[in-house]
Amino acid sequence: MSAEIRTRLWIRNEWEDAASGETFPSTNPATGEVIAQVARGDAADVDRAVVAARDAMASKEWSRINPHDRSQLLFRLADLIEAHGDELGALETRDNGKPYFEARRIDVPSTVGVFRYFAGMADKIFGETIPVAGPFLNYTLREPVGVVGCITPWNFPMNIASWKVAPALACGNAVVLKPAEETPLTALRIAELAAEAGFPPGVFNVVPGMGEEAGAALVAHPGVNAISFTGSTEVGRIIAREAAQSLKKVSLELGGKSPNIVFADADMKAAVRGAATGIFYGKGEVCAAGSRIFVEASVYDEFVEAFAARAEGMTVGDPMDKGTRLGAIVSEAQLDRVMSYVEAGKREGARLVAGGERVQVDGKGNFVTATVFADVTPEMTIAREEIFGPVAAVLPFDDIEDAIAKANDTAFGLASGVWTRDIGKAHRVARDLEAGIVWVNTYNMYDPGAPFGGVKESGYGPDLGYRTALEKYTRTKSVWVAVDR
């Protein structure tokens, strides 16, 4: 990993200090060590970045670039991210606390894949001709929306940034990225790599800072044409209200309380393994986490016993250790939140069958063991509220109708899982679940071509996918031309 950590604002392909001169600490959650002091951007800095982005949109260097050349810029950025994979993986682990094997072997390749997918899209954006009445030629153009404000969370800092930045750039927009204040470091490094790849000044800007300062200023800025946000439902509501004042395009990928349904006819070993992946991958700090596990009553006890045993085998430790399966919770405040839910589960009568312990590694860090509650009822707090940590609630159900009803009894609708050998049952449940994603006999599968987003209070405007990217990051212009008969 490079010894130098980038900590300043990235505007017009240059490093700049915050206008206020203020900084904030970026902390390693596994050790409590302050990794770096990062420039604390605010409204003045957001304005500078937006002006830079608007200037880029007005420049022929970007607005008139051949789409094939735009594609090549994205391919070059993907290659650079891949070449710096060890550095970026280690930086992500230090900033977020996730195991290095997840950051290096999953997040980095996924980020590279997203940039390559949308690099391939950049020269395949086109309109259509429409047969209209009269002596006219009518055709449509797909044009970039303009300046896109991207606000990303701390759980997958570089990966989710790529979900927004790559398609926005592929469609010809300029970007101002506000990464989560807990994890700003990989975003800054990738922006620097974008300049090395050849992106013109102002096309990709990064302003780290607090959400209520830099994030709010980005949403309110009249020079921003669209906002793409991933984060909590509470903040999503605020963004939707504020963006309405200037009628920006808005896409929101918000919270989840996703059901993972295990039928008696499922491959039980696969279901246990998949349920563990669903809730313990990424320390449970995953918006799509399968945190409500519904198990058919006839196999409920068998499942709980096997699932608890698997949870007990999840190794908590130094995120840089290749044997670690649960890294550090991103911050002490988030760990306190997770532990408050563990206590709520106990207090409300759920049966703790695994984990639930706050631990440290070598006397340091924000760690919690993989936690499983059984005999959970639908009204309990741990079955209704998003915890964002490695805490599973296991609930029984009687039949397919009961499973669907209980799974849909939530304000959220992001993801879901179904485990069964009956393909007809799988399709029926997939149809009836109120969720943006349904995984059948698997969990936590992603691909750049497959849309990712939810319904209900999990938001609207999916990330990823060719058509969804077109809808989010382009606008349609209808052109009429009078012609002779």
Side-chain angles (χ1 to χ4, degrees):
M1 175 177 167
S2 170
E4 181 184 0
I5 297 176
R6 285 71 175 171
T7 61
R8 301 164 75 194
L9 313 178
W10 182 256
I11 300 175
R12 295 186 194 273
N13 287 3
E14 294 181 355
W15 296 113
E16 298 190 12
D17 292 324
S20 66
E22 294 188 14
T23 62
F24 65 94
S26 182
T27 303
N28 184 335
T31 65
E33 162 206 12
V34 174
I35 305 168
Q37 293 290 336
V38 181
R40 181 169 176 159
D42 59 18
D45 304 300
V46 166
D47 183 64
R48 280 192 289 155
V50 172
V51 169
R54 296 197 72 82
D55 287 347
M57 291 301 300
S59 72
K60 290 184 179 180
E61 188 179 10
W62 183 242
S63 66
R64 295 292 182 264
I65 188 173
N66 185 299
H68 300 281
D69 293 335
R70 191 165 66 235
S71 173
Q72 289 306 309
L73 288 175
L74 286 159
F75 275 122
R76 283 202 290 272
L77 177 54
D79 291 345
L80 286 168
I81 293 170
E82 186 173 56
H84 291 268
D86 292 346
E87 173 194 350
L88 288 165
L91 192 59
E92 194 87 322
T93 291
R94 291 181 67 191
D95 216 14
N96 170 273
K98 65 177 61 187
Y100 177 70
F101 88 90
E102 288 185 10
R104 181 63 185 91
R105 296 181 180 272
I106 301 173
D107 292 6
V108 170
S110 176
T111 299
V112 171
V114 169
F115 273 101
R116 285 185 176 146
Y117 179 86
F118 288 106
M121 171 186 169
D123 57 2
K124 300 172 184 67
I125 298 171
F126 48 84
E128 57 189 355
T129 58
I130 302 170
V132 295
F136 303 102
L137 168 66
N138 178 260
Y139 63 92
T140 61
L141 298 173
R142 283 281 188 175
E143 300 180 335
V145 295
V147 176
V148 178
C150 301
I151 304 175
T152 53
W154 43 256
N155 55 337
F156 292 90
M158 61 178 158
N159 204 191
I160 295 180
S162 75
W163 290 11
K164 301 179 185 303
V165 172
L169 296 179
C171 291
N173 300 284
V175 167
V176 178
L177 170 62
K178 207 299 283 185
E181 54 264 34
E182 293 88 351
T183 54
L185 301 181
T186 48
L188 290 165
R189 182 66 176 115
I190 288 173
E192 184 181 41
L193 292 176
E196 186 177 335
F199 281 89
V203 171
F204 183 10
N205 310 276
V206 181
V207 181
M210 302 298 110
E212 63 273 19
E213 297 170 358
L218 190 59
V219 172
H221 201 291
V224 174
N225 303 101
I227 291 289
S228 181
F229 171 77
T230 296
S232 72
T233 297
E234 292 73 20
V235 175
R237 289 192 183 97
I238 295 170
I239 289 174
R241 286 196 299 269
E242 183 59 45
Q245 302 304 309
S246 55
L247 298 179
K248 291 177 172 65
K249 285 185 89 168
V250 176
S251 59
L252 304 171
E253 196 270 282
L254 308 175
K257 193 67 181 173
S258 299
N260 205 354
I261 303 169
V262 180
F263 287 96
D265 63 0
D267 178 333
M268 198 54 55
K269 287 185 179 179
V272 168
R273 185 170 59 248
T277 298
I279 185 58
F280 300 133
Y281 175 72
K283 306 162 285 173
E285 296 172 339
V286 181
C287 50
S291 53
R292 292 183 300 146
I293 304 171
F294 294 96
V295 183
E296 195 161 0
S298 62
V299 294
Y300 182 81
D301 290 339
E302 174 190 351
F303 178 91
V304 168
E305 182 179 358
F307 186 59
R310 191 169 188 90
E312 294 286 1
M314 298 291 293
T315 307
V316 177
D318 179 355
M320 295 302 294
D321 189 324
K322 65 181 181 180
T324 294
R325 290 298 172 265
L326 279 180
I329 300 297
V330 73
S331 67
E332 188 172 359
Q334 180 61 20
L335 178 58
D336 289 342
R337 174 182 168 86
V338 171
M339 294 309 299
S340 74
Y341 281 107
V342 172
E343 293 307 312
K346 295 177 183 177
R347 186 172 60 251
E348 294 176 16
R351 177 165 57 100
L352 182 65
V353 295
E357 298 177 357
R358 184 174 187 159
V359 296
Q360 292 188 317
V361 175
D362 297 327
K364 304 174 188 176
N366 308 320
F367 297 89
V368 62
T369 52
T371 302
V372 179
F373 281 101
D375 303 342
V376 177
T377 55
E379 72 278 1
M380 289 182 180
T381 302
I382 59 172
R384 303 207 69 81
E385 298 183 12
E386 185 176 37
I387 299 172
F388 229 61
V391 180
V394 188
L395 305 86
F397 69 87
D398 296 325
D399 53 30
I400 189 170
E401 288 78 14
D402 187 39
I404 293 168
K406 286 177 175 175
N408 289 339
D409 183 22
T410 174
F412 299 107
L414 183 52
S416 56
V418 181
W419 298 84
T420 177
R421 289 188 173 98
D422 184 333
I423 190 64
K425 183 189 295 182
H427 284 301
R428 179 194 164 182
V429 176
R431 179 196 65 197
D432 291 344
L433 285 174
E434 296 170 351
I437 304 114
V438 182
W439 287 296
V440 177
N441 294 331
T442 188
Y443 207 92
N444 271 339
M445 292 293 107
Y446 304 89
D447 186 273
F452 180 90
V455 298
K456 303 195 299 190
E457 291 188 13
S458 291
Y460 50 82
D463 285 313
L464 304 178
Y466 177 84
R467 291 187 181 277
T468 46
L470 279 181
E471 289 301 316
K472 285 175 67 166
Y473 299 116
T474 68
R475 60 192 179 202
T476 302
K477 178 181 286 181
S478 179
V479 179
W480 290 74
V481 182
V483 296
D484 292 333
R485 289 185 182 275

